[in-house]
Amino acid sequence: MQKLNIFMDTNIIKCIEPNLLQFSFNETYKKLKEFIDENEYKKIHIVIPKIVIEELIKQYIEEYRYKYENLDSKVDVLLNDCSKIGWDIKINKKNNMSVSKYEKYIRKKANEYIKKEKINIIELNKENFYNIINRSINKKLPFFSGKGTIEINGERESGKEFSDAGFKDVIFLETIIQFNKLKRSKALILTKDNILLQKLNWKEEIKRDNIVVKGIDQGKDLIKYICNTEGIKDFTEYRKFCKEDYFKELIYNAINKKFIRIFEIQEENEEELNYVDIISWVKGESEKEKVIIRLNDERDPIEILNENSEVIYEW
């Protein structure tokens, strides 16, 4: 398969109710990364523009600020109500970071998470900011202007003129354009932003045909889409099963040989029966050898065959 870069927007990977003391992406990202890693699809890469990380950090800070500034009054009301019915409740503030300290804290957590996950973060070069200025002057999408309800210093005001809206989306777009000038691989862009998803002509912007923009925000649906379009399979659950001690003991007890690792997984169909062949390396007292461990679609063991497809053990 051709190399595929998957670009993910903030609204695709953000957690709905995040733990504010831990920075992380949501289950959609985690499912996609697990799919890539477990199946060893080395030509599929997740790419995150830095503006997405900055927006996520900002959202964490704003959420923390809101809770930090409003929880005390809510706690006072709760304690007062509890005292009226004879309840004794004590609040233990294990963490009492100021908002400014929290900003440094969550940035550190974000950097640790990016390093641990080995996330490919791409950043817009300074020389490409001219493109942003040009878009702003010409109100070229994703920039737009108009009249509506906007928020100013925390207060919502309707009927206000606004311009240069979509700045973050412009940086997101320009970062991807910059990256794809150097990388000629296929691109899948994931976003739920209406302008980026439906109004922007990505093929005209990037000058390429092998680019697709989707609003898929569920991990299961995303993996199904990738498998269908790339002609590949998802054997994640089988690969995870093969790492379990139960599976390794099953193989050893059957043929008195130690399971080493998977060589390849193939899906087979025979007389309306579906099964999966786990072609694996095993080792006994002598040199390692290749065997075929056949499982049904419920991951129950059926039989083990040698390299010549001769059955050497049946369950």
Side-chain angles (χ1 to χ4, degrees):
M1 62 175 288
Q2 187 181 350
K3 185 176 178 181
L4 172 66
N5 288 316
I6 302 175
F7 301 89
M8 307 182 84
D9 201 355
T10 312
N11 47 43
I12 297 293
I13 62 174
K14 71 176 181 180
C15 296
I16 302 301
E17 293 289 340
N19 177 350
L20 297 179
L21 298 180
Q22 295 293 331
F23 184 93
S24 70
F25 297 161
N26 63 12
E27 286 300 313
T28 300
Y29 162 82
K30 291 174 183 176
K31 285 286 185 184
L32 176 60
K33 187 172 189 302
E34 181 184 59
F35 162 73
I36 295 170
D37 292 346
E38 288 290 344
N39 292 281
E40 299 179 355
Y41 288 133
K42 299 185 184 302
K43 290 188 177 183
I44 302 178
H45 300 272
I46 299 173
V47 185
I48 309 291
K50 189 176 180 182
I51 189 65
V52 170
I53 303 297
E54 291 299 321
E55 187 176 21
L56 282 174
I57 290 173
K58 181 184 176 183
Q59 291 176 359
Y60 269 80
I61 294 169
E62 290 305 313
E63 183 71 12
Y64 183 86
R65 185 194 307 277
Y66 175 80
K67 295 188 183 303
Y68 184 84
E69 294 175 352
N70 290 278
L71 271 180
D72 277 341
S73 60
K74 293 181 180 179
V75 168
D76 289 341
V77 172
L78 175 64
L79 292 176
N80 184 51
D81 288 345
C82 289
S83 67
K84 292 177 181 178
I85 59 173
W87 289 8
D88 184 18
I89 294 180
K90 293 181 179 179
I91 304 296
N92 182 11
K93 294 183 179 180
K94 293 182 179 180
N95 162 53
N96 197 25
M97 280 184 287
S98 65
V99 176
S100 60
K101 285 185 178 179
Y102 176 76
E103 181 174 353
K104 295 178 182 177
Y105 169 86
I106 200 62
R107 284 190 177 278
K108 181 181 177 183
K109 287 293 182 181
N111 289 333
E112 289 173 355
Y113 183 76
I114 290 166
K115 185 177 180 180
K116 177 178 73 73
E117 292 289 305
K118 298 178 181 178
I119 301 168
N120 184 11
I121 304 295
I122 58 173
E123 187 173 359
L124 187 66
N125 294 335
K126 291 181 180 179
E127 52 266 29
N128 286 311
F129 268 93
Y130 172 79
N131 296 334
I132 295 176
I133 296 170
N134 185 54
R135 282 181 186 273
S136 176
I137 293 171
N138 294 288
K139 294 295 178 286
K140 186 180 178 183
L141 290 176
F143 273 128
F144 64 95
S145 61
K147 181 182 287 189
T149 300
I150 60 175
E151 188 171 301
I152 303 174
N153 295 327
E155 305 227 346
R156 296 176 68 80
E157 298 190 26
S158 60
K160 294 287 184 180
E161 295 284 346
F162 60 89
S163 63
D164 294 345
F167 185 78
K168 171 260 168 184
D169 293 331
V170 172
I171 297 179
F172 180 79
L173 168 64
E174 288 291 343
T175 306
I176 295 174
I177 291 174
Q178 172 188 285
F179 182 84
N180 278 279
K181 284 180 179 178
L182 302 174
K183 311 287 183 179
R184 306 300 296 177
S185 55
K186 294 169 66 176
L188 171 60
I189 298 165
L190 300 172
T191 180
K192 291 197 291 183
D193 181 87
N194 183 55
I195 291 177
L196 293 178
L197 187 60
Q198 298 182 16
K199 297 182 178 180
L200 189 73
N201 189 332
W202 282 89
K203 290 181 180 179
E204 181 181 300
E205 294 285 351
I206 299 184
K207 312 299 182 189
R208 296 231 314 271
D209 290 327
N210 57 348
I211 180 168
V212 177
V213 185
K214 292 288 180 180
I216 307 171
D217 63 351
Q218 296 298 313
K220 184 178 179 181
D221 295 335
L222 177 56
I223 291 167
K224 183 178 179 181
Y225 172 81
I226 293 171
C227 287
N228 288 340
T229 55
E230 298 299 318
I232 56 179
K233 298 285 185 179
D234 179 18
F235 293 119
T236 298
E237 295 306 317
Y238 284 93
R239 288 182 176 273
K240 288 165 66 176
F241 177 62
C242 293
K243 294 178 181 179
E244 295 178 8
D245 291 337
Y246 166 76
F247 175 81
K248 295 175 182 178
E249 290 173 8
L250 195 71
I251 303 307
Y252 186 80
N253 292 335
I255 58 175
N256 198 33
K257 292 178 181 178
K258 183 180 178 182
F259 172 83
I260 301 175
R261 64 180 177 85
I262 296 171
F263 174 77
E264 185 183 2
I265 299 182
Q266 296 178 352
E267 191 174 52
E268 303 290 347
N269 297 292
E270 186 178 286
E271 296 179 355
E272 298 184 357
L273 294 175
N274 297 324
Y275 55 86
V276 171
D277 284 346
I278 314 291
I279 305 170
S280 309
W281 288 107
V282 296
K283 189 175 188 307
E285 293 181 358
S286 58
E287 295 181 353
K288 67 179 182 179
E289 60 184 284
K290 204 179 290 181
V291 298
I292 303 168
I293 304 164
R294 182 162 291 171
L295 309 177
N296 65 19
D297 51 11
E298 297 294 326
R299 297 193 295 279
D300 297 321
I302 300 173
E303 58 193 8
I304 301 178
L305 304 89
N306 60 22
E307 280 192 275
N308 298 320
S309 296
E310 299 168 335
V311 177
I312 58 177
Y313 188 87
E314 284 185 291
W315 278 277

